[in-house]
Amino acid sequence: MISVIVCSIDDFWFEKFSKSLKETIGIEYQLIKIDNKKEKLSITKAYNKGASEAIYDILIFVHEDVVFHSQNWGVFLHGYFDNLKNPGVLGVVGSSYLPISPSDWWISDQSFIFSNYISNSKEFAGIVGSPQIKGAQVPSKVYVLDGMFLAIKKEAFEGFRFDDGLEGFHGYDTDICLQVSRKFQNYFIPNIQIEHFSKGKANLVWLLNTEKAKRKILSKINRIKKEEGFSNKIELKAFHLFLGQLYKYGDNRFNCIKLGFYYFKQVAIRSFHWRLIPVFFWYLMIFSFKRTPYFSS
């Protein structure tokens, strides 16, 4: 049996979701709605509250603007938890490479991405969306998963929970996946296709929360890289992307430069590439001309 937890702000989309869930899950379930129009919680606090109300042993944290296209997917999900080795967080979109620089699942090298969902938008809800099918369509080990659909055993979740210190509605998925990966193995799972009617957007909150999540597990990254090795190409691109996000969303010049230099050192001592130096100094130069702070910390 499954407890499904939704942080809701839109009655129309919640009703659409609820109908789809009932028609497709194929197994006994509990639907927990956190009405965030009233409570106005961060996503982490809303999800933790929902989890505390769960009565079943599998928890699903899912966006309300999705519909399911797979029949009896709850049965498949139970099977994955029963048969996969040491399962942690299971999801339908994720990546199997973990860069040193702060990043989400959408890393630069598509060969490390696994997905099986339909991308759409609320404006075109009456039109069939675009299938996003990447990677082998078999259960696959990953590090980070997209928050549109995250499943975890209740027993595993209680050892970690979402970080209440993360504000807003971004970065929570990266954080919980990385925390759980310390003890369990996260997986991409096929056979549960959903249609998602919005697209994630990086912003200030995403940047702060994702950086916080990555810093928590740098020691684990060291162990991973010793076992699996580095991709200098991906590390360089991830660092370049992080600097660009710092410039776009970052705070005052000093904090941008300090964070940039911190991750320059982290990447350089583990996966040095000569292009790291001109990339960093190029951003150092443009940071020096940045006039408007986007936020203060």
Side-chain angles (χ1 to χ4, degrees), residues 44-212:
T44 57
K45 290 180 180 178
Y47 277 168
N48 283 336
K49 179 179 180 181
S52 69
E53 301 174 11
I55 61 175
Y56 293 132
D57 62 338
I58 293 178
L59 310 179
I60 295 177
F61 303 94
V62 60
H63 293 184
E64 69 177 343
D65 58 347
V66 308
V67 296
F68 296 92
H69 288 279
S70 301
Q71 288 294 322
N72 299 317
W73 59 265
V75 178
F76 296 141
L77 185 62
H78 254 284
Y80 288 134
F81 277 111
D82 289 341
N83 297 310
L84 291 174
K85 184 178 180 180
N86 196 32
V89 184
L90 277 54
V92 298
V93 187
S95 60
S96 60
Y97 188 89
L98 185 61
I100 296 167
S101 301
S103 60
D104 213 312
W105 63 266
W106 58 78
I107 61 173
S108 59
D109 192 325
Q110 297 291 300
S111 65
F112 291 97
I113 291 178
F114 298 85
S115 66
N116 177 28
Y117 74 105
I118 299 172
S119 177
N120 210 329
S121 66
K122 294 180 175 67
E123 292 78 9
F124 299 101
I127 302 174
V128 176
S130 172
Q132 304 293 313
I133 301 176
K134 298 176 182 178
Q137 294 301 296
V138 295
S140 302
K141 295 178 180 180
V142 296
Y143 290 108
V144 180
L145 292 151
D146 188 278
M148 72 174 81
F149 179 99
L150 300 172
I152 186 172
K153 294 292 287 288
K154 188 176 184 179
E155 181 180 6
F157 176 79
E158 288 175 346
F160 297 94
R161 301 176 62 82
F162 290 96
D163 183 352
D164 282 341
L166 299 181
E167 299 179 357
F169 300 89
H170 297 279
Y172 65 94
D173 44 4
T174 298
D175 185 71
I176 192 69
C177 287
L178 293 182
Q179 294 304 310
V180 171
S181 72
R182 291 176 168 179
K183 186 176 180 180
F184 300 93
Q185 177 62 60
N186 300 331
Y187 289 91
F188 158 78
I189 52 172
N191 301 330
I192 303 178
Q193 189 177 68
I194 67 176
E195 186 168 6
H196 191 205
F197 291 91
S198 63
K199 296 179 180 179
K201 296 180 180 179
N203 61 14
L204 164 61
V205 175
W206 175 88
L207 178 66
L208 289 174
N209 289 352
T210 303
E211 194 280 324
K212 182 179 179 181

Side-chain angles (χ1 to χ4, degrees), residues 252-267:
N252 57 62
R253 296 188 188 109
F254 175 75
N255 285 339
C256 286
I257 293 170
K258 183 171 69 172
L259 266 181
F261 184 64
Y262 176 80
Y263 283 98
F264 171 79
K265 290 190 299 181
Q266 300 303 316
V267 176

